[in-house]
Amino acid sequence: MSYKRYWLALAVVIIGSFAVLGSVGRKMISEAPPIPDVYSENGQLLFTGASITDGQGVWQSIGGQEIGTVWGHGAYVAPDWSADWLHRESLLLLDRWAQREGSPTFNALNTDEQAVLNARLVREMRTNNYDRAANRVTLDSDRAAAFDQLATYYAGVFADGRAEYAIPRGALTNTEKQKQLAAFFWWTAWAASTERPGSTVTYTNNWPHEPLVANGPTPGAILWSIVSVVGLLAGIGGLVWWYASQEKAVPHGPFPVRDPFLGLNPTPSQRATIKYFLVVVALWGVQILMGVITAHYGVEGQGFYGFPLDRYLPYAITRTWHLQLAIFWIATSWLATGLYVGPAVSGHEPKFQRLGVNVLFVALVLVVGGSLAGEWMGIQQKLGNLWFWFGSQGFEYVDLGRFWQILLFVGLVLWLLLMVRALKPAFTRNREDRSLLSLFLISSIAIPMFYAAGLMYGQRSHLVTAEYWRWWVVHLWVEGFFEVFATVVIAFLFTRLKLLEIRSATRTVLFSTTIFLAGGIIGTFHHLYFSGSSAAVISLGAIFSALEVVPLTLIGYEAWENLRLARPTERVPWIANYKWPIHFFVAVAFWNLVGAGLFGFLINPPIALYYMQGLNLTPVHGHTALFGVYGMLGLGLTLFCLRVLRPERIWKESILKASFWCLNIGLGFMVILSMLPVGLLQAWASIERGTWYARSAEFLQSGPMQILRWMRVPGDVLFALGAALLGWFVLGLLTGHSYTSNKAVTSASFSRVKEEENEAALSGR
């Protein structure tokens, strides 16, 4: 069968999408908010643009996006520093002006007098007096005085600590760095309230919502949100219409009478991947522990049930580790699966392949251990000016220091070389699965290539530049081409088991990849609506991110087909062997619809994200999509590979069953009982009073919000129990307690046992 049309469509989508992403991104970076020298109206230099950049570095070195947010990106316990500074500066100016009118405070004025000062504040804050030729902004005496007051306030927050913000005492004590940090916070608030030249909206498209300075959603945010919903409905209709007319990748017959993997001896390199899967489970366990501590800091900001844990593991570190470990263990499971599948696909074990797998494992351990230790030292201010290279870069999901980042990139290149060596013989033969194999290779190449996007910004790069490239890593690497890679791997596994025809599987994978990337690549812009970007980012991000949801509407069909594959019959009793790995794939489909689809689209339209950015509806999407989709997929792939490594042994599946349901129900409780209601109440507060209030200690530390935070405990406990059970099961694959017998059964007895079990099940009905 020819797949030329599919390949042509995929090529057009990829080339066209990256042309748009690159050209608009280049414009976005070139039109980023300037970083000026700031003077008072009497000509006194308050701080330089270099100080602002230095302040950004200070912010990154103490945790950056893992301690509050800037422009809405980061952690959710402390304030958004941009919104917080903007609101506090506005109140200081209003009170200062009111006192000149003879009133003790602004609130003591009557309505008419307040209206006059409100209008003055809007004019003062939104007027752009940036002198491009001199790279200079001039502040009047009132704003200069407000800067000094706020610089003193924020110095106290980071020096003395603030339990409500989960900031420990001594987080930042250097007075020069404190002033630089204040200069950076001022600049982020200035860009968020100052109109672009020739425009009536700010550099951040009027984000955050702040009624005091007339920051509200732009007409474009409203219009393109409506268009995105219409586009979503049109895309769903078109996809369903097309899909109904196509031949589906369904199970075919005749099925093998025995497990195709039974009797096959794993190659040395395949056996060497076992330790990767053990590390996956271990890292996952540590990540869950860090998640528990991080969540608890929301209610007890400087301790853990009375123990002063923040002295040793402050919130910024536990959240950094929580996110980094998630990336590490999920990526490790996928990479290890690739290393296993390579020789299985080609039927060839290259010379020294096992050595390469072992060397890569050592590099993985070094990167994980070194980066976690460096992040602790950097955030604790123990690395000096080396924080960027060996500590924490301070950007969510790419926190690891640049040295460790480069080392990880080298490891990914080594992994790619191992994959190419294993797959190369398959390309020399005229195989029916060549198209599927080619997509496998392309997605493998894309994994190190798109991770390299994280190397495109430096220690002193503009915040807009860093954010643009960071989302290439988070969205295109983690959510994009890794998902393509995993989709192809699953297709190979099912075709290798002879449960799917290669022809229909290849067509389905090529089509799914094309549809997904058609929205996914340009859809990267939906993360950048309010990150110092132009209006074009809003329009493109709104439309194409909506299209990302379109293929998820057929996810139910995929789930039922996977369930059908997992059901043993008289013809294929051995498929029961793979029941629980396939059930994890079914969970992937469910959470793809709920986490990526429903909760993702909840915050995708510009008008929604305008009020919800930086609130707890983002981690609702993050938990259900990152773990629910990619985590469940990683666990499914791990179990699948462990299953085919020893197909002749029979698993005790009761532990797996309990683990599976604890994980899924626990994740659901975590979201429904706590994070979702917290996020919805925050969104209400943001719409009603402003972003600053939704993120304030006044709101988040209120009684109802604290109760909702404690409501995470049932879900967290159930989820942790599921993880512990899965870890116990995987450990049992080494010790033998997860098998029905400590001895391997023969092929004949294996088939006989499964046939007897199947007959018993049928007679029981």
Side-chain angles (χ1 to χ4, degrees), residues 397-474:
Y397 295 106
V398 285
D399 298 87
L400 70 172
R402 179 55 54 88
F403 173 79
W404 309 111
Q405 195 177 20
I406 293 172
L407 195 58
L408 179 55
F409 171 70
V410 172
L412 291 174
V413 172
L414 174 59
W415 171 83
L416 176 61
L417 292 176
L418 294 173
M419 293 294 295
V420 171
R421 294 177 76 243
L423 294 172
K424 185 178 178 180
F427 283 97
T428 63
R429 300 189 293 270
N430 186 20
R431 296 165 53 110
E432 186 182 5
D433 61 355
R434 175 166 290 189
S435 284
L436 196 60
L437 193 63
S438 298
L439 191 57
F440 189 18
L441 181 60
I442 291 172
S443 61
S444 298
I445 295 171
I447 288 174
M449 183 173 69
F450 283 98
Y451 184 76
L455 305 175
M456 297 299 290
Y457 60 87
Q459 183 171 346
R460 297 183 66 80
S461 290
H462 195 291
L463 182 60
V464 171
T465 302
E467 279 291 86
Y468 174 74
W469 289 112
R470 178 175 78 91
W471 283 111
W472 272 57
V473 177
V474 179

Side-chain angles (χ1 to χ4, degrees), residues 611-661:
Y611 293 108
M612 299 175 184
Q613 180 152 295
L615 308 185
N616 276 272
L617 289 174
T618 302
V620 166
H621 165 60
H623 281 75
T624 54
L626 182 59
F627 177 80
V629 179
Y630 303 110
M632 287 289 186
L633 182 56
L635 295 178
L637 292 173
T638 295
L639 290 173
F640 208 112
C641 290
L642 291 174
R643 175 70 276 178
V644 299
L645 279 168
R646 292 179 177 177
E648 74 282 358
R649 292 201 168 191
I650 303 173
W651 283 0
K652 293 179 180 178
E653 296 182 340
S654 57
I655 297 179
L656 271 182
K657 180 179 180 180
S659 171
F660 176 82
W661 289 113

Side-chain angles (χ1 to χ4, degrees), residues 377-705:
M377 295 177 67
I379 292 173
Q380 296 284 59
Q381 301 290 287
K382 297 181 182 297
L383 291 178
N385 291 329
L386 295 177
W387 61 267
F388 181 81
W389 285 94
F390 298 99
S392 169
Q393 293 186 38
F395 289 120
E396 211 175 18
Y397 295 106
V398 285
D399 298 87
L400 70 172
R402 179 55 54 88
F403 173 79
W404 309 111
Q405 195 177 20
I406 293 172
L407 195 58
L408 179 55
F409 171 70
V410 172
L412 291 174
V413 172
L414 174 59
W415 171 83
L416 176 61
L417 292 176
L418 294 173
M419 293 294 295
V420 171
R421 294 177 76 243
L423 294 172
K424 185 178 178 180
F427 283 97
T428 63
R429 300 189 293 270
N430 186 20
R431 296 165 53 110
E432 186 182 5
D433 61 355
R434 175 166 290 189
S435 284
L436 196 60
L437 193 63
S438 298
L439 191 57
F440 189 18
L441 181 60
I442 291 172
S443 61
S444 298
I445 295 171
I447 288 174
M449 183 173 69
F450 283 98
Y451 184 76
L455 305 175
M456 297 299 290
Y457 60 87
Q459 183 171 346
R460 297 183 66 80
S461 290
H462 195 291
L463 182 60
V464 171
T465 302
E467 279 291 86
Y468 174 74
W469 289 112
R470 178 175 78 91
W471 283 111
W472 272 57
V473 177
V474 179
H475 187 83
L476 292 176
W477 185 63
V478 177
E479 300 179 22
F481 286 93
F482 247 130
E483 180 162 333
V484 174
F485 172 80
T487 301
V488 179
V489 167
I490 292 175
F492 264 119
L493 292 174
F494 282 146
T495 56
R496 185 67 179 80
L497 287 172
K498 303 187 187 310
L499 297 175
L500 290 179
E501 292 180 337
I502 292 176
R503 177 175 59 87
S504 57
T506 302
R507 186 178 61 249
T508 299
V509 169
L510 280 170
F511 176 75
S512 300
T513 300
T514 303
I515 293 297
F516 173 73
L517 294 181
I521 295 175
I522 301 178
T524 305
F525 284 134
H526 84 264
H527 298 286
L528 300 167
Y529 291 150
F530 312 115
S531 297
S533 56
S534 62
V537 169
I538 288 184
S539 60
L540 291 169
I543 294 173
F544 284 90
S545 63
L547 294 179
E548 287 185 80
V549 182
V550 169
L552 301 181
T553 58
L554 296 177
I555 211 72
Y557 179 85
E558 176 188 338
W560 280 109
E561 286 305 316
N562 284 338
L563 276 175
R564 190 177 302 171
L565 291 175
R567 292 172 181 165
T569 67
E570 293 183 18
R571 294 174 299 168
V572 281
W574 55 267
I575 194 59
N577 231 13
Y578 300 92
K579 174 182 178 180
W580 289 107
I582 293 176
H583 270 65
F584 275 91
F585 296 153
V586 174
V588 170
F590 172 80
W591 289 112
N592 222 345
L593 175 61
V594 174
L598 297 180
F599 292 140
F601 192 71
L602 173 66
I603 62 174
N604 264 10
I607 188 61
L609 196 58
Y610 179 81
Y611 293 108
M612 299 175 184
Q613 180 152 295
L615 308 185
N616 276 272
L617 289 174
T618 302
V620 166
H621 165 60
H623 281 75
T624 54
L626 182 59
F627 177 80
V629 179
Y630 303 110
M632 287 289 186
L633 182 56
L635 295 178
L637 292 173
T638 295
L639 290 173
F640 208 112
C641 290
L642 291 174
R643 175 70 276 178
V644 299
L645 279 168
R646 292 179 177 177
E648 74 282 358
R649 292 201 168 191
I650 303 173
W651 283 0
K652 293 179 180 178
E653 296 182 340
S654 57
I655 297 179
L656 271 182
K657 180 179 180 180
S659 171
F660 176 82
W661 289 113
C662 283
L663 289 173
N664 284 279
I665 296 173
L667 179 58
F669 281 178
M670 192 188 307
V671 171
I672 295 171
L673 298 180
S674 181
M675 287 192 291
L676 182 60
V678 167
L680 291 174
L681 289 175
Q682 276 190 298
W684 184 282
S686 175
I687 295 169
E688 186 176 42
R689 297 186 58 177
T691 304
W692 71 272
Y693 179 68
R695 292 291 303 274
S696 67
E698 174 188 356
F699 178 74
L700 290 175
Q701 298 298 320
S702 63
M705 297 298 285

Side-chain angles (χ1 to χ4, degrees), residues 258-451:
R258 61 194 291 267
D259 188 344
F261 285 103
L262 191 62
L264 297 180
N265 292 321
T267 68
S269 70
Q270 288 177 319
R271 287 194 294 270
T273 62
I274 293 178
K275 53 181 170 289
Y276 283 80
F277 298 117
L278 297 177
V279 166
V280 164
V281 176
L283 293 180
W284 181 36
V286 178
Q287 189 231 347
I288 292 173
L289 176 62
M290 292 300 105
V292 170
I293 296 173
T294 300
H296 188 77
Y297 271 128
V299 294
E300 189 182 352
Q302 293 182 332
F304 190 75
Y305 294 99
F307 179 76
L309 187 63
D310 67 320
R311 298 179 186 176
Y312 315 100
L313 284 177
Y315 174 87
I317 292 174
T318 62
R319 191 174 189 273
T320 297
W321 285 357
H322 180 62
L323 294 181
Q324 284 298 287
L325 285 168
I327 298 296
F328 282 143
W329 77 259
I330 293 173
T332 299
S333 67
W334 295 5
L335 296 176
T337 301
L339 293 173
Y340 178 86
V341 169
V345 168
S346 65
H348 173 69
E349 170 87 346
K351 191 175 182 180
F352 303 122
Q353 184 78 353
R354 180 184 179 185
L355 175 62
V357 170
N358 289 333
V359 169
L360 182 60
F361 179 79
V362 173
L364 169 68
V365 172
L366 179 61
V367 168
V368 172
S371 65
L372 295 181
E375 286 157 359
W376 184 88
M377 295 177 67
I379 292 173
Q380 296 284 59
Q381 301 290 287
K382 297 181 182 297
L383 291 178
N385 291 329
L386 295 177
W387 61 267
F388 181 81
W389 285 94
F390 298 99
S392 169
Q393 293 186 38
F395 289 120
E396 211 175 18
Y397 295 106
V398 285
D399 298 87
L400 70 172
R402 179 55 54 88
F403 173 79
W404 309 111
Q405 195 177 20
I406 293 172
L407 195 58
L408 179 55
F409 171 70
V410 172
L412 291 174
V413 172
L414 174 59
W415 171 83
L416 176 61
L417 292 176
L418 294 173
M419 293 294 295
V420 171
R421 294 177 76 243
L423 294 172
K424 185 178 178 180
F427 283 97
T428 63
R429 300 189 293 270
N430 186 20
R431 296 165 53 110
E432 186 182 5
D433 61 355
R434 175 166 290 189
S435 284
L436 196 60
L437 193 63
S438 298
L439 191 57
F440 189 18
L441 181 60
I442 291 172
S443 61
S444 298
I445 295 171
I447 288 174
M449 183 173 69
F450 283 98
Y451 184 76

